[in-house]
Amino acid sequence: MIAVALDWRSPEHFDHTGDKPCVICHKRTPLRSDRGKPVHKVCAEDWIDRHSVREGNK
């Protein structure tokens, strides 16, 4: 299995206005998804890995 590795180096993934609860683990984070949702990078990667349809797992 190949794990997803997101590239969140761009500044729009960091919210300087303050931490909010991660939508997955509920711990506070300044990080934001591409859609602006508060989420840790590792939480997002894990969610993608668990919810992606892989070849042979359809």
Side-chain angles (χ1 to χ4, degrees):
M1 179 167 76
I2 298 173
V4 171
L6 299 172
D7 181 359
W8 280 12
R9 290 180 280 188
S10 63
E12 50 272 356
H13 288 291
F14 188 85
D15 187 347
H16 294 281
T17 64
D19 293 357
K20 293 186 179 174
C22 173
V23 296
I24 297 173
C25 76
H26 308 290
K27 294 179 184 174
R28 298 185 68 76
T29 180
L31 299 175
R32 302 295 182 262
S33 70
D34 288 344
R35 295 182 178 176
K37 302 289 183 183
V39 64
H40 295 103
K41 181 178 176 285
V42 294
C43 290
E45 290 169 341
D46 182 58
W47 189 93
I48 292 167
D49 283 341
R50 289 185 285 115
H51 293 89
S52 294
V53 175
R54 303 277 187 222
E55 189 174 322
N57 291 338
K58 296 178 184 178

